[in-house]
Amino acid sequence: VYLISVPSQKIIYEFFNDLLAQIRATKELLVFSFIVLQRFIRATTWNLRAANWRILVILSFMVAQKYEYEVTLPVKYWNKFYPVFHAREFIKLEALFLELMDYHFMVSPKEFRENFKLLYIHGQEPEEKNPGIGVSASV
């Protein structure tokens, strides 16, 4: 059911908090994941939707972590956040994600700073006044 309903800002915030705590992500990894996700969206013209935002965020973290640290957590950790897919499917999705974004990873210091500022500004705990911000209701 949660896959097709528009998530509130609070649900998105809690998802990120849980994800960041579980994978012990640094601020740098968060920013790099955001950049990877932006590039994927630009390269594919896909949009974040109620049905895909979780998996796209997870894949951006998987890719960013592998690039940033040259290692990633076992798929079972990622699967906790999106139990719909099996390990083999996660691996295939990651490969497709990389291919669709044309393996574009280099980030300039300027691009990193700009995205860091943007995430900092929007990273405050959400108020319930603005549910569903940034996620389309269409599937």
Side-chain angles (χ1 to χ4, degrees):
V1 177
Y2 76 88
L3 293 175
I4 56 171
S5 61
V6 177
S8 68
Q9 198 174 5
K10 182 179 179 193
I11 288 173
I12 295 170
Y13 182 84
E14 289 172 354
F15 175 81
F16 270 92
N17 270 351
D18 290 346
L19 179 63
L20 296 174
Q22 282 290 319
I23 66 172
R24 296 187 174 110
T26 62
K27 291 176 186 174
E28 292 78 16
L29 183 64
L30 175 62
V31 173
F32 190 65
S33 298
F34 182 68
I35 292 168
V36 166
L37 182 58
Q38 285 179 332
R39 289 179 179 176
F40 175 81
I41 289 169
R42 272 190 238 120
T44 61
T45 65
W46 289 15
N47 291 311
L48 289 179
R49 302 192 185 286
N52 71 8
W53 72 271
R54 282 183 173 91
I55 190 62
L56 291 178
V57 167
I58 291 168
L59 289 169
S60 70
F61 272 94
M62 286 176 70
V63 167
Q65 189 177 53
K66 192 175 283 186
Y67 178 80
E68 188 77 10
Y69 304 131
E70 296 181 7
V71 47
T72 190
L73 293 170
V75 173
K76 68 179 181 179
Y77 286 96
W78 303 107
N79 192 256
K80 289 178 187 178
F81 297 98
Y82 205 78
V84 176
F85 293 115
H86 296 286
R88 288 185 310 274
E89 293 170 313
F90 262 107
I91 293 166
K92 288 178 183 178
L93 284 170
E94 179 188 19
L96 179 61
F97 189 91
L98 289 166
E99 186 179 322
L100 289 172
M101 64 174 281
D102 201 25
Y103 300 89
H104 182 207
F105 290 111
M106 298 308 294
V107 177
S108 71
K110 179 183 178 196
E111 182 180 15
F112 186 89
R113 281 190 308 275
E114 288 169 356
N115 282 280
F116 183 86
K117 288 177 188 174
L118 182 64
L119 284 173
Y120 180 79
I121 290 168
H122 294 289
Q124 309 305 315
E125 189 152 358
E127 298 175 17
E128 276 301 309
K129 296 178 197 169
N130 303 316
I133 289 181
V135 180
S136 168
S138 54
V139 216

